Amino acid sequence: ILNVEQSPQSLHVQEGDSTNFTCSFPSSNFYALHWYRWETAKSPEALFVMTLNGDEKKKGRISATLNTKEGYSYLYIKGSQPEDSATYLCAFAGVSGTYKYIFGTGTRLKVLA
Amino acid sequence: DTGVSQDPRHKITKRGQNVTFRCDPISEHNRLYWYRQTLGQGPEFLTYFQNEAQLEKSRLLSDRFSAERPKGSFSTLEIQRTEQGDSAMYLCASSSGTGFNEKLFFGSGTQLSVL
């Protein structure tokens, strides 16, 4: 059974703080790693699609890194704002003959004004 | 491009009843997924369509669950003889291409409550 784990499960930060989360996934049979942001009462929205070891992606104040050899990805938020409050999900795709993405349980972020 | 839409947004049903959900993906997307999420868990894979072909179905899914995607357009997910354990958020997502490099576009989900 393939396991994708995210940590921490939840955290509260003050506005202006920088923060980061971790997504751990199987280091073998890697194909892609996705990050999604899911705000309450909205649809999950794609942040990044990462496919190459050493990939670094950036979108505004949010960035992500990927290490496929050791099986982890970090998501960083610089200068957190209240609108960053959401659940951040990572999804792993492997090459073992399946079409499915395996999601982690998410990190619930609350940014306090 | 109006995004992925799901209907209904909420469904309350009594145990033993059948329910059907609909998903309309982005029109040019050939790939369609159904996922289920329960409280405190990440989205759990249910099934995958490439155009009209159902190429993968979770082994966790009982025979009470069935999904269709006629003509490779909208999709329906039916749950027969619902049980309280079926209460969850049912998410639909679509994407283009054939690999995993394309991001998923999600609908807002259908929240099912089985009483």
Side-chain angles (χ1 to χ4, degrees):
Chain A
I1 296 178
L2 298 176
N3 220 22
V4 177
E5 296 182 351
Q6 291 189 247
S7 63
Q9 279 192 328
S10 66
L11 76 162
H12 291 66
V13 301
Q14 290 294 132
E15 182 177 358
D17 287 350
S18 294
T19 187
N20 64 85
F21 328 132
T22 304
C23 173
S24 301
F25 52 84
S27 56
S28 59
N29 294 328
F30 175 87
Y31 195 111
L33 193 283
H34 294 207
W35 281 100
Y36 292 87
R37 173 171 60 200
W38 194 357
E39 296 178 66
T40 303
K42 294 187 177 180
S43 311
E45 176 190 4
L47 289 172
F48 305 114
V49 175
M50 309 179 82
T51 56
L52 297 174
N53 183 45
D55 247 356
E56 290 189 26
K57 302 265 185 174
K58 188 174 181 182
K59 184 178 181 180
R61 294 179 291 98
I62 305 177
S63 59
T65 61
L66 179 68
N67 184 325
T68 61
K69 295 186 186 305
E70 296 182 40
Y72 65 84
S73 176
Y74 293 140
L75 188 78
Y76 301 90
I77 303 179
K78 185 178 178 181
S80 303
Q81 299 297 309
E83 57 264 32
D84 296 327
S85 298
T87 295
Y88 291 82
L89 292 165
C90 66
F92 166 82
V95 291
S96 55
T98 176
Y99 298 95
K100 65 185 174 189
Y101 294 86
I102 301 171
F103 282 82
T105 54
T107 292
R108 284 164 287 284
L109 173 67
K110 177 75 174 176
V111 182
L112 306 170
Chain B
D1 178 359
T2 56
V4 179
S5 62
Q6 291 188 244
D7 183 67
R9 290 291 301 271
H10 304 274
K11 179 71 177 178
I12 300 173
T13 191
K14 292 183 179 178
R15 190 175 46 160
Q17 298 294 304
N18 299 343
V19 294
T20 300
F21 311 141
R22 178 180 170 122
C23 170
D24 286 271
I26 292 172
S27 58
E28 64 268 25
H29 284 181
N30 58 329
R31 311 180 82 186
L32 187 146
Y33 291 85
W34 284 99
Y35 277 83
R36 172 175 70 184
Q37 191 198 28
T38 53
L39 202 61
Q41 301 297 315
E44 175 191 12
F45 172 79
L46 294 179
T47 191
Y48 165 70
F49 289 87
Q50 191 161 303
N51 300 308
E52 67 275 10
Q54 187 176 22
L55 297 186
E56 190 169 352
K57 184 177 175 180
S58 171
R59 281 172 287 183
L60 300 174
L61 231 55
S62 73
D63 291 341
R64 298 183 297 106
F65 286 73
S66 63
E68 292 183 340
R69 191 184 182 195
K71 301 178 184 178
S73 55
F74 71 92
S75 176
T76 58
L77 178 69
E78 181 183 16
I79 309 174
Q80 295 182 327
R81 305 180 303 281
T82 52
E83 301 172 356
Q84 287 185 324
D86 297 331
S87 296
M89 169 75 80
Y90 289 82
L91 288 166
C92 175
S94 70
S95 72
S96 58
T98 56
F100 292 107
N101 297 337
E102 300 294 328
K103 60 185 178 182
L104 297 173
F105 290 79
F106 283 87
S108 299
T110 293
Q111 183 68 53
L112 173 66
S113 297
V114 182
L115 306 178

